[in-house]
Amino acid sequence: MARERQHHPRPVNGLSRRSLLGGAAAAAGAVTLTGTAAGTASAASTRDVDVAIVGGGIAGLTAARDLVAGGRTVAVLEARDRVGGRVVNLSLANGGFTEGGGEFIGPTQDRIKALADSLGVATFTTYNTGKNLLYKDGTRTPYATDGLLGAVPPIDAAGLANAAIVQAELDDMAKTVPVDAPWTAAKAAEWDKQTFESWLNANAVIPSAKFLLDLACTSIFSAQPRELSLLYVLFYIAAAGNESNVGTLERLTDTANGAQESRFVGGSQQVPIKLAATLGDRVVLSAPVRSIALSGGKYVVTADGVTVTAKRVVVAVPRPLATRIAFDPLLPAEQDQLAQRLPMGSIGKAIAVYDTPFWRADGLNGQAVSDSGVVRSTFDNSPPDASYGALMGFIEADEIRAYDAASVDDVKAAVLKDYVNYFGAKANSPSSFVLQRWDNEGFSRGGPVAYAPPGVLTEYGAALRKPVGGIHWAGTETSTYWTGYMDGAVRSGERVAKEVLADL
């Protein structure tokens, strides 16, 4: 991957989802690899292995683990100076940390749970005690999440009825979409011709229902409904399950019993850090890959400071970024055309840190949804012992794009204005503030996932996991279940390792 200037979270004040029915969005990004014998590009010059792996995120590291277990030699080339990809722990001035990327885990996300368990990384329940908040039309409304309506925000009755009908219809449509080949669905051509927005405009006819569905869309994909293929949205819903449980929109959006149910003790990046530690110096940091060339029956993978010769290559970075690598011979046109048509979502996370989680004393759980502001959904990101408070807000799609070039101080001012609207005057005085803008992160350029606009899946989807000679594809975007999540990354790594072991 061509080197670009890295945009790390800037310090402020001394600091170096997702829910249609109440909640926020899960994101995706990466802390320095510590406690391992990982090498650096400057410490190595050439390696000869069975498999070269491009990318040291969860997908690439999982593939490496399984290939080593299968008796093969590997080298993992990671462009950054740390492992994790779109999963990152950010250090705080108070000695704690917060998560700047993917952090949540929920039911049916079996593979990331199994991986974490094997590494001794425990989970704890996302703080969900107390009332949610709806901020709509300038009015702040607390609401309970344990009544008949569950986590449904208290909009008008007509809107609730319309939203329930739309959600049920989406779930029913998604049941007809094969997760391993959505382009083969009976109505694939019809659904892939239209945007999610055009379908919503025809079905979410009550404005308040349209608000809920729009919020769900931006929270899940970090993209606007106008940008997404309806077929892709239905596939994503179908993928929110496992081999024994069909996917549902509610599982994507909910906290309790949903994708935001739990977090990792020590932060989500403990998973890739500990996984990388098991691989030792097979992982090479600060080694952005520049080219992959087939020569004499082997692949020569050239990165900054290191050249790896391998029988097979696994590319485990988002497909839009993979095209920044020079391939020789060129990738087939279908592969390049696919990559050109899969943009990254646009997302940032803003975390305000306080001495205590003061909103809990007010009977609030820290989860808010809004129809205005730069932050439209929030979570309580405090540590399990509540030794300090942390409010995390997602800035997504049009909102983050509007602030991509803004100063951190300007973003902070806009975010705190929203937090005051949601949680009161105390929110205006954090002890510190952290901002992670994935659009500006050189080796991600967005998140949580590379999504498909209309026409992409039916025309190019079959190329998504299709090997090119000895080059194989991994990454959460290639997963059949939990695409866009850490669980999808693990699944893709496990799948590609099996492919390569069978191919060698």
Side-chain angles (χ1 to χ4, degrees), residues 441-456:
E441 213 284 339
F443 295 116
S444 293
R445 300 318 305 260
V449 68
Y451 63 85
V456 177

Side-chain angles (χ1 to χ4, degrees), residues 256-314:
N257 300 313
Q260 287 67 243
E261 184 174 75
S262 300
R263 297 168 58 198
F264 289 105
V265 175
S268 53
Q269 203 188 2
Q270 285 295 307
V271 175
I273 287 174
K274 291 192 173 186
L275 180 53
T278 69
L279 295 167
D281 64 3
R282 298 180 183 91
V283 180
V284 184
L285 303 179
S286 301
V289 171
R290 306 300 188 168
S291 64
I292 300 173
L294 183 61
S295 177
K298 284 194 172 185
Y299 290 92
V300 179
V301 182
T302 304
D304 286 4
V306 58
T307 299
V308 176
T309 303
K311 299 173 184 175
R312 299 291 185 271
V313 177
V314 171

Side-chain angles (χ1 to χ4, degrees), residues 21 128-132 143-153 256 363 365:
L21 304 180
N128 199 34
T129 301
K131 293 183 177 181
N132 282 23
Y143 62 98
T145 62
D146 55 1
L148 291 177
L149 296 179
V152 181
N365 61 17

Side-chain angles (χ1 to χ4, degrees), residues 29-377:
V31 66
T32 302
L33 171 62
T34 58
T36 79
T40 62
S42 60
S45 56
T46 61
R47 296 192 184 194
D48 185 37
V49 295
D50 293 323
V51 186
I53 299 172
V54 181
I58 290 176
L61 295 172
T62 299
R65 175 203 63 180
D66 289 1
L67 287 165
V68 170
R72 296 297 179 173
T73 57
V74 304
V76 180
L77 302 174
E78 168 54 47
R80 299 174 174 92
D81 61 359
R82 76 307 188 271
V83 295
R86 285 166 276 178
V87 177
V88 60
N89 289 354
L90 305 174
S91 297
L92 300 176
N94 64 8
F97 65 88
T98 192
E99 289 142 314
E103 65 177 277
F104 297 107
I105 179 175
T108 75
Q109 295 186 5
D110 310 312
R111 302 315 304 153
I112 182 64
K113 182 62 165 60
L115 175 60
D117 287 348
S118 73
L119 296 169
V121 181
T123 61
F124 66 100
T125 302
T126 302
Y127 191 80
N128 199 34
T129 301
K131 293 183 177 181
N132 282 23
L133 286 173
L134 170 66
Y135 189 82
K136 191 173 186 295
D137 300 324
T139 300
R140 175 183 179 272
T141 305
Y143 62 98
T145 62
D146 55 1
L148 291 177
L149 296 179
V152 181
I155 60 172
D156 58 277
L160 287 173
N162 187 199
I165 292 170
V166 170
Q167 178 168 319
E169 186 168 358
L170 287 169
D171 284 347
D172 285 344
M173 294 161 67
K175 290 175 185 176
T176 71
V177 177
V179 294
D180 58 343
W183 47 89
T184 67
K187 294 187 176 182
E190 174 187 340
W191 292 338
D192 207 29
K193 287 179 181 177
Q194 58 187 303
T195 64
F196 186 41
E197 181 174 61
S198 64
W199 188 88
L200 284 178
N201 287 340
N203 291 274
V205 294
I206 305 298
S208 56
K210 181 66 161 49
F211 153 68
L212 290 182
L213 274 300
D214 284 348
L215 179 62
C217 178
T218 54
S219 294
I220 292 168
F221 300 99
S222 299
Q224 302 295 144
R226 67 176 184 271
E227 299 174 295
L228 297 158
S229 158
L230 173 60
L231 177 62
Y232 183 75
V233 171
L234 296 174
F235 155 70
Y236 215 83
I237 294 171
N242 58 16
E243 293 79 0
S244 304
N245 298 273
V246 297
T248 66
L249 180 58
E250 188 174 19
R251 191 176 294 124
L252 283 168
T253 61
D254 275 2
T255 300
N257 300 313
Q260 287 67 243
E261 184 174 75
S262 300
R263 297 168 58 198
F264 289 105
V265 175
S268 53
Q269 203 188 2
Q270 285 295 307
V271 175
I273 287 174
K274 291 192 173 186
L275 180 53
T278 69
L279 295 167
D281 64 3
R282 298 180 183 91
V283 180
V284 184
L285 303 179
S286 301
V289 171
R290 306 300 188 168
S291 64
I292 300 173
L294 183 61
S295 177
K298 284 194 172 185
Y299 290 92
V300 179
V301 182
T302 304
D304 286 4
V306 58
T307 299
V308 176
T309 303
K311 299 173 184 175
R312 299 291 185 271
V313 177
V314 171
V315 179
V317 298
R319 195 61 66 89
L321 301 185
T323 60
R324 301 179 185 185
I325 299 170
F327 289 87
D328 182 14
L330 292 173
L331 291 176
E334 65 173 358
Q335 292 285 348
D336 202 70
Q337 292 288 320
L338 171 67
Q340 291 181 41
R341 286 164 170 77
L342 292 177
M344 299 296 293
S346 299
I347 189 168
K349 293 178 78 173
I351 302 96
V353 180
Y354 304 89
D355 291 340
T356 64
F358 62 85
W359 50 92
R360 297 184 183 182
D362 296 331
L364 301 175
N365 61 17
Q367 296 175 47
V369 293
S370 175
D371 66 347
S372 61
V374 63
V375 169
R376 304 292 175 95
S377 56

